[in-house]
Amino acid sequence: MTPPAVVGELDDVDALRDTVRAADAVVPVGARTQWEVGNPTTGGVEVRAPAGVMAYDPAELTVTAGAGTTVAELAGVLGDAEQECPLDARAAQATVGGVLAAGLSGHRRLRYGPLRDRVLEVRFVTADGRLVKGGGPTVKNVTGFDVPRLLVGSLGTIGVLVRVTLRCQPLAASARWFTSDADPFAARQRMFRPSCVAWDGTTTRVLLEGHPDDVAAEATSAGLDPDTGPDAAGGGPPWPEGSHRGRISVRPSRLRDLAPALGGIAGLGWLAEVGVGTVHVAAAEPAGLIAARDVAAANGGWLLREAGVTGVDGYGVPLPNLAIVERIRAAFDPTGKLSPGRLPGAATTTPAPR
């Protein structure tokens, strides 16, 4: 039986548009779970997006919700129809808009791809108060600029997200974590489509999803004991914790070389996503994160600050696409009033050539 569509009235965005239009500086705010990612804003009028699920069509695997909707609320609606949208936010109270604006893909990227692949359509308020639609509510999207992908990871500097349409998928019949001391790189080669291969230099933790028989067979082929894997809800890896956190991005092939150097940093906890090239790091003291950034740079990567280490640039290296970023921001926000300070560089008043 197909569940009925879930419909809820979103708050009127007219007041938000008026606020954005009149303000000299605007800072979109969600649940503040990723408030410290990158650089802090220099301040402005705080605005919040509407919340609530507006439309859900399980047969089409699409859901439309206000950007202020929490990840937990969205998961609850989709779960009733045995579906999900793998945003994989660490905090259940995080908002959908905040997760997309931060653009930090979750731990299942290895199987399901980056966060931006989930976004079909966006509606956002521009710096001059216009309500703009980008993309389309179907898998076969419209032609032209891929505005939804531009907004993912923009940290609120292009527009204020108010509504999104996301691509859903059926929930896996089985999802289990397995723990092993096997080499993570060799183990991954023996698996078809693991959802996550996490490694801390000593222990390999693998998340497998699918039909229970397939999960057991894949675990066996990779040298994992199928009888010891707990359900995904209770067996995930211990993510690094600390007042100062970040994530390193390197080529996946450099993870093996990176590990010894990270292991030599006193007080640093780390966990790598094998096959992706993301390494989550955390330390109790700022020096640990700063040292991890040096290791990342020495291996051709970089470290994005997620929390702590005040007074230090959140990116550490010049963005390779900074010129393009500035031209995009100049086109959408010529005066630089949206989330000022969050991204390096500054929007110019010269619009991009047409």
Side-chain angles (χ1 to χ4, degrees):
M1 177 179 177
T2 301
V6 178
V7 179
E9 291 295 331
L10 291 178
D11 296 334
D12 194 346
V13 300
D14 287 344
L16 188 150
R17 295 174 60 192
D18 291 341
T19 299
V20 173
R21 184 184 300 112
D24 293 328
V26 175
V27 180
V29 176
R32 298 181 189 269
T33 59
Q34 300 183 94
W35 190 244
E36 297 181 71
V37 172
N39 288 329
T41 72
T42 55
V45 176
E46 295 187 356
V47 295
R48 296 180 180 273
V53 175
M54 182 179 183
Y56 175 34
D57 188 343
E60 293 295 329
L61 296 173
T62 60
V63 63
T64 300
T69 308
T70 66
V71 170
E73 180 182 354
L74 179 66
V77 171
L78 300 182
D80 289 340
E82 297 185 344
Q83 293 183 1
E84 66 169 345
C85 181
L87 302 180
D88 292 335
R90 297 276 188 87
Q93 73 270 26
T95 63
V96 172
V99 171
L100 296 177
L104 303 181
S105 297
H107 64 276
R108 292 188 291 172
R109 175 173 178 165
L110 181 62
R111 178 168 183 145
Y112 298 120
L115 191 61
R116 60 179 177 271
D117 288 353
R118 291 287 143 184
V119 187
L120 296 173
E121 180 184 88
V122 295
R123 299 200 180 195
F124 63 100
V125 175
T126 61
D128 58 1
R130 289 175 295 149
L131 182 62
V132 176
K133 180 179 80 71
T138 59
V139 175
K140 289 185 177 180
N141 218 323
V142 296
T143 59
F145 293 109
D146 197 342
V147 175
R149 287 182 175 233
L150 283 179
L151 287 167
V152 176
S154 66
L155 293 173
T157 61
I158 292 177
V160 181
L161 274 171
V162 294
R163 191 168 107 181
V164 297
T165 298
L166 304 172
R167 186 199 315 262
C168 309
Q169 65 187 33
L171 278 169
S174 175
R176 298 170 64 184
W177 282 98
F178 298 85
T179 300
S180 171
D181 58 1
D183 178 83
F185 305 95
R188 181 182 171 239
Q189 295 301 316
R190 295 194 295 267
M191 292 181 282
F192 174 52
R193 289 183 65 197
S195 297
C196 179
V197 179
W199 178 57
D200 63 4
T202 302
T203 303
T204 301
R205 293 176 173 85
V206 178
L207 174 61
L208 299 178
E209 297 179 282
H211 187 278
D213 292 343
D214 294 334
V215 168
E218 194 167 6
T220 300
S221 70
L224 309 174
D225 185 350
D227 296 326
T228 61
D231 291 339
W239 300 99
E241 294 290 342
S243 301
H244 308 278
R245 293 182 290 106
R247 62 171 61 192
I248 293 172
S249 295
V250 295
R251 291 183 182 275
S253 59
R254 299 300 298 269
L255 287 179
R256 192 187 295 274
D257 298 330
L258 197 75
L262 290 178
I265 299 175
L268 182 76
W270 64 273
L271 187 71
E273 294 182 41
V274 175
V276 176
T278 296
V279 185
H280 306 270
V281 296
E285 300 295 332
L289 210 63
I290 294 172
R293 170 168 282 172
D294 293 338
V295 169
N299 285 271
W302 65 293
L303 182 148
L304 172 69
R305 180 185 58 204
E306 293 185 281
V309 200
T310 57
V312 176
D313 180 67
Y315 301 88
V317 296
L319 298 185
N321 58 350
L322 183 58
I324 297 175
V325 170
E326 290 184 334
R327 291 177 64 187
I328 292 172
R329 291 169 63 190
F332 285 91
D333 179 20
T335 62
K337 67 188 286 185
L338 298 178
S339 295
R342 287 303 297 269
L343 288 176
T348 66
T349 56
T350 302
R354 296 182 180 274

